[in-house]
Amino acid sequence: MEKKATTPAPAPKPATAAPKGSGGLNPALVIPLLFVIALCVYIFVLGSPDHFIDGDHEKGPKPGDYFGIVHEGGPIVPLLMTCFLIVLVFTIERIITIGKANGTGSIDSFVRKVKSLLDKNQVDEAIKECDKQKGSVGNVIKAGLIKYKQLAADGGLDKEQKLAALQKEVDEATTLELPMLQKNLTIIATLAGASTLIALLGTVLGMIKAFAALGASGGASDSSALAAGISEALINTAIGIGTSAIATVSYAYLNSRVDDLTYSIDEIGLSIQQNFAAHY
């Protein structure tokens, strides 16, 4: 009896991982938008005739009107305002993102609970706690615990190989999560120094204007022109230093929050390895 040729069944396609979100705002879109906003504020809000004597920019701002005074800082002011808005927007965005990364409950309580469950070798209960906690810490620890269960049932590897595989799983999961937490922090750190340099440029331009007015007067004191140049210089200096200070504090705070999350992950990751070494 002739046998019919059978075609092999097609191999199942590997499941594709769900694409992860970008983890934050896109600087390429946000920064130009913030520059447009800063420019509009400079022209239409700070430069409104209501802030100037008789509505005339040439007569200067009204006494005590800070909107008009800041407008007198010149063309560097919109750049400094853009730097300030960038720091403000990305600081708020990072606080929200890192807050979500913490999960639904207290990180310290979660760490203590998972370590307690691991000491009792209650891996399934620890995984359930990760599902409740969510966030970056919960995701990383859950990946490590799932690998823990797989290696516990694997008889083809020795103890050292299992520990190495467990460490690798936790490291890979951490590597996937941490870049999303650190995104845009570099922008804030850069502006901590760049805003001061931009302000210095405005200061120099203001002083050039002041000395040019003094030179044009033929040595006679032109107090109004000289004061206008010095005022422009000091306005840029004040905005730049203020933005730099806020950016420095913001970066230090956000970076410490990321370090706390990393420490929590490392702490539980070490507990997972120690527990596995003790029980298997």
Side-chain angles (χ1 to χ4, degrees):
M1 184 176 178
E2 186 179 356
K3 294 184 178 178
K4 292 183 180 181
T6 58
T7 57
K13 293 181 179 180
T16 56
K20 282 199 170 188
S22 61
L25 299 174
N26 185 354
L29 298 177
V30 174
I31 292 177
L33 177 61
L34 294 178
F35 174 72
V36 172
I37 293 174
L39 192 59
C40 290
V41 170
Y42 176 76
I43 295 173
F44 299 110
V45 178
L46 301 182
S48 173
D50 296 338
H51 304 302
F52 295 86
I53 299 174
D54 298 331
D56 187 359
H57 287 194
E58 296 297 328
K59 294 183 179 180
K62 294 178 180 179
D65 192 319
Y66 289 101
F67 281 17
I69 292 173
V70 172
H71 184 271
E72 292 299 289
I76 301 299
V77 170
L79 294 178
L80 292 172
M81 291 175 62
T82 302
C83 293
F84 173 77
L85 290 176
I86 291 171
V87 171
L88 181 64
V89 169
F90 283 122
T91 296
I92 295 173
E93 180 259 345
R94 284 294 92 193
I95 289 174
I96 294 173
T97 300
I98 294 173
K100 290 180 179 179
N102 281 328
T104 57
S106 169
I107 287 291
D108 293 335
S109 299
F110 172 71
V111 170
R112 288 194 299 268
K113 189 174 292 185
V114 170
K115 289 176 68 175
S116 175
L117 291 172
L118 288 176
D119 290 339
K120 302 172 185 175
N121 201 29
Q122 297 177 346
V123 181
D124 290 330
E125 286 75 7
I127 292 176
K128 292 179 182 178
E129 289 298 325
C130 293
D131 291 333
K132 293 179 184 178
Q133 181 69 19
K134 300 180 182 179
S136 295
V137 178
N139 292 339
V140 172
I141 301 310
K142 182 179 179 180
L145 292 174
I146 291 175
K147 189 68 174 181
Y148 182 108
K149 290 183 64 177
Q150 293 174 353
L151 293 172
D154 189 350
L157 300 175
D158 60 32
K159 187 173 183 178
E160 293 299 324
Q161 290 174 325
K162 290 181 178 180
L163 287 173
L166 186 59
Q167 177 65 41
K168 181 181 178 182
E169 182 69 21
V170 174
D171 289 344
E172 288 178 352
T174 304
T175 302
L176 290 175
E177 292 286 343
L178 285 185
M180 293 183 7
L181 300 179
Q182 295 173 335
K183 181 180 178 182
N184 297 333
L185 286 183
T186 304
I187 296 176
I188 297 175
T190 301
L191 289 179
S195 58
T196 305
L197 296 177
I198 296 173
L200 181 61
L201 175 61
T203 302
V204 172
L205 292 178
M207 296 306 296
I208 289 174
K209 182 181 295 186
F211 284 107
L214 184 62
S217 64
S221 60
D222 187 353
S223 59
S224 60
L226 185 62
I230 295 175
S231 175
E232 178 178 335
L234 295 179
I235 288 168
N236 285 286
T237 302
I239 298 175
I241 291 176
T243 301
S244 177
I246 294 172
T248 301
V249 173
S250 171
Y251 177 77
Y253 170 72
L254 294 172
N255 199 47
S256 67
R257 291 281 301 274
V258 174
D259 288 343
D260 290 342
L261 287 175
T262 305
Y263 176 78
S264 298
I265 292 173
D266 291 341
E267 184 179 359
I268 304 182
L270 181 60
S271 295
I272 292 175
Q273 291 187 13
Q274 291 175 342
N275 179 273
F276 189 90
H279 291 87
Y280 300 99

